[in-house]
Amino acid sequence: MDRLAEAPKSTFLEKISTRHFRSGWKAFIIIFFLLFVILPTVWVLSYIFTDWSSIETVMGDPDLMSTIYDAILASFEIAAIVTVIDIIVGLPMAWILVRKEFRGKRYLDTLIDMPLAVPTAALGFSCAIFWAATSSNVNAPGFAPGFVDSAFLLIVLLHVVFSYPYMVRSLAAILEQIDVTYETAGRALGATKLTAARTITLPLFRAGLVTGIILCMARSLSETGGTMIALATMANSGNFETGPTLIGAWKSNPDLIPQLAFVSILLIVISLILLIILKIAVMKIKLPAGKVWPKYERILSRGWAPFLKDSTSSAFLFIFVLIPSFFIFTYVVVLPYQSAEWGLFWDSLFYSFIIAGVVTVLDIIMGVPMALYVARGHGSKIIQSLDVLVNVPLIVPTAALGFSLGMFWGDVPGIGSFDFILIVMAHVAFTYPLVVRNVAGAVEEIDPSYEETARTLGAKPLQAFRRVLYPMIKTSILAGAIMAFTRSLGETGATLAVVANANTAPVYIVDLINTEQFYTAGLACIVLIIVSYVFMVLLRYITKRRVA
Amino acid sequence: MPEITVRGLTKRYGKVIAVDDATLTIKDKEYVTILGPSGCGKTTLIRMMAGIIEPTEGKVFIDGKDMKGVPIEERDLGYVFQNIALFPNMNVGENVSYSPRVKGKSPEEQGTTSHKYLELVKLLDKMGMFPGELCGGEQQKVSLARALATGSKLLLLDEPLSALDARVRVDLRYDLRRLVKALGITTVHVTHDQEEAMSVSDRIVLMRAGAIVEMGTPEQLYTKPENIFTMNFIGETNLIEGWVRERSVGLCKIELRDGSELEVHSCPYDTGTAVVVSVRPEFVYPFTSGLRSKIVSTTYMGTYWRMTAESASEDEIDFDVPVSDGHLYKIGQEVYLMINNKATVVFPRPHEGIAEAVKLE
Ligand SMILES: Nc1ncnc2c1ncn2[C@@H]1O[C@H](COP(=O)(O)OP(=O)(O)OP(=O)(O)O)[C@@H](O)[C@H]1O
Ligand SMILES: [Mg+2]
């Protein structure tokens, strides 16, 4: 105390540790979130207030309502199926990544994120030519399975590709924080590996499961560009529509804005209700972990069973996620060489990387403090509603999101001419929640007494965070940052909605696909993937080394 | 009947040798402590016994059976973790009944087992509480009850009493010994507290820097250790440097560095050998004759005063005086110290120097 009084000037650290500064900072973070993330995202909803009568007209049209009903039902069915598949196959994969040591683990680890770096449209196309029966002008390579003729099934397969990395990442980040000693203790008490994992680790997993489920469901519910391309590519998709594809189709027609707003509202409201129920259910319901079958679980814990489990989940990763994502590469092999305008592509790639980098940094600076408030502020109603609100940009269909962002930023005077800022702001809106969700999930698992200890040892809140909390949540920040980075790198629809002639790599690739230049598109995807891959491996390497 | 043997057990982490070629046998129903300073490899050794980590070299046998490839859950042992590791998602009762549960015992049997062992550690009233709601000592007791509830006859304990305050720790260690003896359990108990090791063990295994230094009963290690490190680590001792001057049956004369002479009980070394004489502070008395020394510090220890003196031979010698005599000694004062020569142990002088030989790592 005395020493503080004597010190003539307070240090920077002391200044930013004062109460005033902290509440100011907190207010700033929350206002940023509301103003730059939530508001632009839901701007399309303003329609309810400005033009309610035309929405009533939509509701009065039975044919339209039945189309909307079918599409939305399909969306939720697909999201539910995809999430269940992701949990089943994602869990063993997360286990492999966290608890197993093997050579080349770092490379596998990075490979899992790669489908996120493929532009969504290219991913949709790639998946479609791999799985679906396609018409001849697509020129799909003859060795593709190409037998899927149900649109519903194709979209499920596609959305698994989109969402699988999210599930694995979220689960792995949480698993990393659960002390292995619990499982070892369980086994020392006579539990087999499977029993110990099932009765001890899994129940500690809830926060990770919630994060994973939210991310997966939201990704499936909101995916527009890839889904539309996949449906367009398959030979006969019938009249199959999902909520987002309806929006995607209506977006370009100014007369259909009421319909668009109506479907967006429905998707947002239903998803939010669903997520709240889900979150409560996962946190409150006691898992039926009571029963144990020692004999069968022993059989499943030893010998061929774990091997089968690991090889199945690896096979799943390759057959259902990686190969369909990268199948577009095969065009480079089967089609004759075509020359292309590479200078443009390199420019766009550079531009995309800069955008993704700036977006990720903004997400971390603004998102990590938000995650701390969300995870530590269970007492406050305001914080709890923020927690729900954070998910909104994830759920809004990307087409509606882009539309909404375009509407919002277009209305802000002056900013319309700054393409770069527009694209960055748009990308922050849908990547910010990825960082917040991941980090909040991790912080919830950490006993607050660690920070309290640091504080009693004299650490300022910022020091307590940096020295104590940060090392523990680092993997989750990295997971969030990678998701945000790749998501920004791959996004097409939302970018086009804010800046019609944006010069990013995904836009360039989608142009190639639309003009049927498959060879060049394949090559451009390969380059994009390789550059992202190298970048990601480097990032992991650097962050790993900083620990040692 | 569990008997556990390790042979040539070694664990390396890169260049670090955590355990170096350990060989020992723990007999059925024996209570053995593994004692050593922090970081000497105790946890690593006991973890290899349990099968939690794989040895780099060497073997573990339980009842003569090679345990290679046998997973922890099939080694039939109870293990108490250094960091306690109670399952945070289960209450005290569920933690204790976990073992019978995963072994497929009936719910009734699970209930009676957890009841029985919680009663043993006197925590029956905490049955419904969660680990986070217990204090450190209670957590440690629950963790012990949980290990005992395996019904196994082999118990491995890694610092099972470290979270307790000094008083409870002393009480509980006797309880612990009584308990496992009554149940006929073979126990391996890891500790860095030499007093704890002395008071509970049938036998102590002393480790230093990954290697086993010496094994024996507490009394052997206290009174007649073979190693100067043991002498210094277990209990306190004075180490006085000198040379053997004259040797006869039952008596031996040692020349100190200032030419003065010290008589010791016996020594097996030839005349002229450089040696170290060890004598514990309780066997050094102030007298009217003996080693001329000067008091350099005095410390009040509660039931006695600890005096540190420097002798004319430049050896540091500690001795104790009763509280009532404390006022008789002042720093700088000259005293003469007698040594009970029946209580001396003579070691050859280590070539690396005494300080090096008794260093903890
Ligand atoms: N996984 C590991 N990787 C590298 N070094 C390790 C590892 N585990 C232990 N060590 C090293 O091995 C040595 C012995 O460790 P161990 O935990 O067995 O010590 P200990 O005797 O139990 O210490 P304490 O009394 O502090 O618990 C230490 O130097 C430690 O740093
Ligand atoms: Mg230890």
Side-chain angles (χ1 to χ4, degrees), chain A residues 41-52:
Chain A
T41 311
V42 296
W43 196 242
V44 63
L45 303 189
S46 66
Y47 214 84
I48 308 179
F49 309 107
T50 56
D51 201 354
W52 176 249

PDB file of all heavy atoms in Angstrom, chain A residues 41-52:
ATOM      1  N   THR A  41     -25.862  -8.713 -38.393  1.00  0.00           N
ATOM      2  CA  THR A  41     -26.310 -10.059 -38.721  1.00  0.00           C
ATOM      3  C   THR A  41     -27.822 -10.152 -38.797  1.00  0.00           C
ATOM      4  O   THR A  41     -28.377 -10.832 -39.643  1.00  0.00           O
ATOM      5  CB  THR A  41     -25.809 -11.037 -37.639  1.00  0.00           C
ATOM      6  OG1 THR A  41     -24.441 -10.801 -37.435  1.00  0.00           O
ATOM      7  CG2 THR A  41     -26.033 -12.448 -38.044  1.00  0.00           C
ATOM      8  N   VAL A  42     -28.485  -9.481 -37.865  1.00  0.00           N
ATOM      9  CA  VAL A  42     -29.939  -9.647 -37.787  1.00  0.00           C
ATOM     10  C   VAL A  42     -30.663  -8.456 -38.423  1.00  0.00           C
ATOM     11  O   VAL A  42     -31.855  -8.284 -38.234  1.00  0.00           O
ATOM     12  CB  VAL A  42     -30.401  -9.841 -36.327  1.00  0.00           C
ATOM     13  CG1 VAL A  42     -29.824 -11.118 -35.763  1.00  0.00           C
ATOM     14  CG2 VAL A  42     -30.004  -8.660 -35.469  1.00  0.00           C
ATOM     15  N   TRP A  43     -29.891  -7.659 -39.153  1.00  0.00           N
ATOM     16  CA  TRP A  43     -30.499  -6.461 -39.742  1.00  0.00           C
ATOM     17  C   TRP A  43     -31.700  -6.823 -40.610  1.00  0.00           C
ATOM     18  O   TRP A  43     -32.680  -6.086 -40.684  1.00  0.00           O
ATOM     19  CB  TRP A  43     -29.452  -5.716 -40.565  1.00  0.00           C
ATOM     20  CG  TRP A  43     -29.825  -4.308 -40.902  1.00  0.00           C
ATOM     21  CD1 TRP A  43     -30.015  -3.778 -42.143  1.00  0.00           C
ATOM     22  CD2 TRP A  43     -30.063  -3.241 -39.986  1.00  0.00           C
ATOM     23  NE1 TRP A  43     -30.358  -2.456 -42.064  1.00  0.00           N
ATOM     24  CE2 TRP A  43     -30.392  -2.106 -40.737  1.00  0.00           C
ATOM     25  CE3 TRP A  43     -30.042  -3.153 -38.577  1.00  0.00           C
ATOM     26  CZ2 TRP A  43     -30.696  -0.867 -40.156  1.00  0.00           C
ATOM     27  CZ3 TRP A  43     -30.340  -1.921 -38.001  1.00  0.00           C
ATOM     28  CH2 TRP A  43     -30.659  -0.804 -38.789  1.00  0.00           C
ATOM     29  N   VAL A  44     -31.643  -8.001 -41.232  1.00  0.00           N
ATOM     30  CA  VAL A  44     -32.742  -8.422 -42.100  1.00  0.00           C
ATOM     31  C   VAL A  44     -34.054  -8.532 -41.309  1.00  0.00           C
ATOM     32  O   VAL A  44     -35.137  -8.357 -41.837  1.00  0.00           O
ATOM     33  CB  VAL A  44     -32.389  -9.764 -42.795  1.00  0.00           C
ATOM     34  CG1 VAL A  44     -32.212 -10.867 -41.791  1.00  0.00           C
ATOM     35  CG2 VAL A  44     -33.436 -10.144 -43.821  1.00  0.00           C
ATOM     36  N   LEU A  45     -33.936  -8.761 -40.005  1.00  0.00           N
ATOM     37  CA  LEU A  45     -35.139  -8.888 -39.191  1.00  0.00           C
ATOM     38  C   LEU A  45     -35.867  -7.551 -39.021  1.00  0.00           C
ATOM     39  O   LEU A  45     -37.026  -7.520 -38.632  1.00  0.00           O
ATOM     40  CB  LEU A  45     -34.808  -9.440 -37.796  1.00  0.00           C
ATOM     41  CG  LEU A  45     -34.094 -10.785 -37.733  1.00  0.00           C
ATOM     42  CD1 LEU A  45     -34.058 -11.277 -36.300  1.00  0.00           C
ATOM     43  CD2 LEU A  45     -34.790 -11.808 -38.594  1.00  0.00           C
ATOM     44  N   SER A  46     -35.136  -6.473 -39.281  1.00  0.00           N
ATOM     45  CA  SER A  46     -35.768  -5.164 -39.120  1.00  0.00           C
ATOM     46  C   SER A  46     -37.007  -5.082 -39.997  1.00  0.00           C
ATOM     47  O   SER A  46     -37.875  -4.249 -39.809  1.00  0.00           O
ATOM     48  CB  SER A  46     -34.776  -4.057 -39.479  1.00  0.00           C
ATOM     49  OG  SER A  46     -34.480  -4.127 -40.852  1.00  0.00           O
ATOM     50  N   TYR A  47     -37.060  -5.976 -40.932  1.00  0.00           N
ATOM     51  CA  TYR A  47     -38.194  -6.051 -41.835  1.00  0.00           C
ATOM     52  C   TYR A  47     -39.504  -6.229 -41.102  1.00  0.00           C
ATOM     53  O   TYR A  47     -40.542  -5.717 -41.508  1.00  0.00           O
ATOM     54  CB  TYR A  47     -37.967  -7.222 -42.784  1.00  0.00           C
ATOM     55  CG  TYR A  47     -38.523  -6.927 -44.130  1.00  0.00           C
ATOM     56  CD1 TYR A  47     -37.779  -6.209 -45.051  1.00  0.00           C
ATOM     57  CD2 TYR A  47     -39.821  -7.303 -44.459  1.00  0.00           C
ATOM     58  CE1 TYR A  47     -38.303  -5.892 -46.275  1.00  0.00           C
ATOM     59  CE2 TYR A  47     -40.346  -6.992 -45.682  1.00  0.00           C
ATOM     60  CZ  TYR A  47     -39.584  -6.295 -46.585  1.00  0.00           C
ATOM     61  OH  TYR A  47     -40.110  -5.971 -47.785  1.00  0.00           O
ATOM     62  N   ILE A  48     -39.462  -6.974 -40.021  1.00  0.00           N
ATOM     63  CA  ILE A  48     -40.684  -7.198 -39.232  1.00  0.00           C
ATOM     64  C   ILE A  48     -41.310  -5.866 -38.847  1.00  0.00           C
ATOM     65  O   ILE A  48     -42.523  -5.714 -38.851  1.00  0.00           O
ATOM     66  CB  ILE A  48     -40.379  -7.960 -37.926  1.00  0.00           C
ATOM     67  CG1 ILE A  48     -39.597  -9.229 -38.232  1.00  0.00           C
ATOM     68  CG2 ILE A  48     -41.643  -8.267 -37.169  1.00  0.00           C
ATOM     69  CD1 ILE A  48     -39.244 -10.007 -36.999  1.00  0.00           C
ATOM     70  N   PHE A  49     -40.429  -4.937 -38.490  1.00  0.00           N
ATOM     71  CA  PHE A  49     -40.953  -3.662 -37.988  1.00  0.00           C
ATOM     72  C   PHE A  49     -41.302  -2.712 -39.120  1.00  0.00           C
ATOM     73  O   PHE A  49     -42.268  -1.980 -39.042  1.00  0.00           O
ATOM     74  CB  PHE A  49     -39.936  -3.016 -37.043  1.00  0.00           C
ATOM     75  CG  PHE A  49     -39.481  -3.971 -35.979  1.00  0.00           C
ATOM     76  CD1 PHE A  49     -38.211  -4.518 -36.009  1.00  0.00           C
ATOM     77  CD2 PHE A  49     -40.362  -4.354 -34.970  1.00  0.00           C
ATOM     78  CE1 PHE A  49     -37.809  -5.417 -35.046  1.00  0.00           C
ATOM     79  CE2 PHE A  49     -39.950  -5.260 -34.009  1.00  0.00           C
ATOM     80  CZ  PHE A  49     -38.671  -5.793 -34.047  1.00  0.00           C
ATOM     81  N   THR A  50     -40.490  -2.783 -40.170  1.00  0.00           N
ATOM     82  CA  THR A  50     -40.725  -1.787 -41.224  1.00  0.00           C
ATOM     83  C   THR A  50     -41.831  -2.221 -42.179  1.00  0.00           C
ATOM     84  O   THR A  50     -42.494  -1.390 -42.773  1.00  0.00           O
ATOM     85  CB  THR A  50     -39.442  -1.531 -42.023  1.00  0.00           C
ATOM     86  OG1 THR A  50     -38.974  -2.772 -42.531  1.00  0.00           O
ATOM     87  CG2 THR A  50     -38.373  -0.915 -41.148  1.00  0.00           C
ATOM     88  N   ASP A  51     -42.029  -3.522 -42.338  1.00  0.00           N
ATOM     89  CA  ASP A  51     -43.010  -3.930 -43.340  1.00  0.00           C
ATOM     90  C   ASP A  51     -43.716  -5.228 -42.944  1.00  0.00           C
ATOM     91  O   ASP A  51     -43.652  -6.234 -43.635  1.00  0.00           O
ATOM     92  CB  ASP A  51     -42.295  -4.100 -44.690  1.00  0.00           C
ATOM     93  CG  ASP A  51     -43.286  -4.018 -45.843  1.00  0.00           C
ATOM     94  OD1 ASP A  51     -44.510  -3.956 -45.570  1.00  0.00           O
ATOM     95  OD2 ASP A  51     -42.829  -4.012 -46.992  1.00  0.00           O
ATOM     96  N   TRP A  52     -44.392  -5.183 -41.826  1.00  0.00           N
ATOM     97  CA  TRP A  52     -45.040  -6.381 -41.298  1.00  0.00           C
ATOM     98  C   TRP A  52     -46.132  -6.889 -42.226  1.00  0.00           C
ATOM     99  O   TRP A  52     -46.335  -8.091 -42.367  1.00  0.00           O
ATOM    100  CB  TRP A  52     -45.595  -6.086 -39.911  1.00  0.00           C
ATOM    101  CG  TRP A  52     -46.368  -7.232 -39.315  1.00  0.00           C
ATOM    102  CD1 TRP A  52     -47.708  -7.287 -39.081  1.00  0.00           C
ATOM    103  CD2 TRP A  52     -45.846  -8.497 -38.916  1.00  0.00           C
ATOM    104  NE1 TRP A  52     -48.063  -8.485 -38.552  1.00  0.00           N
ATOM    105  CE2 TRP A  52     -46.919  -9.267 -38.445  1.00  0.00           C
ATOM    106  CE3 TRP A  52     -44.551  -9.050 -38.914  1.00  0.00           C
ATOM    107  CZ2 TRP A  52     -46.770 -10.546 -37.966  1.00  0.00           C
ATOM    108  CZ3 TRP A  52     -44.413 -10.351 -38.434  1.00  0.00           C
ATOM    109  CH2 TRP A  52     -45.506 -11.079 -37.973  1.00  0.00           C
TER     110      TRP A  52
END
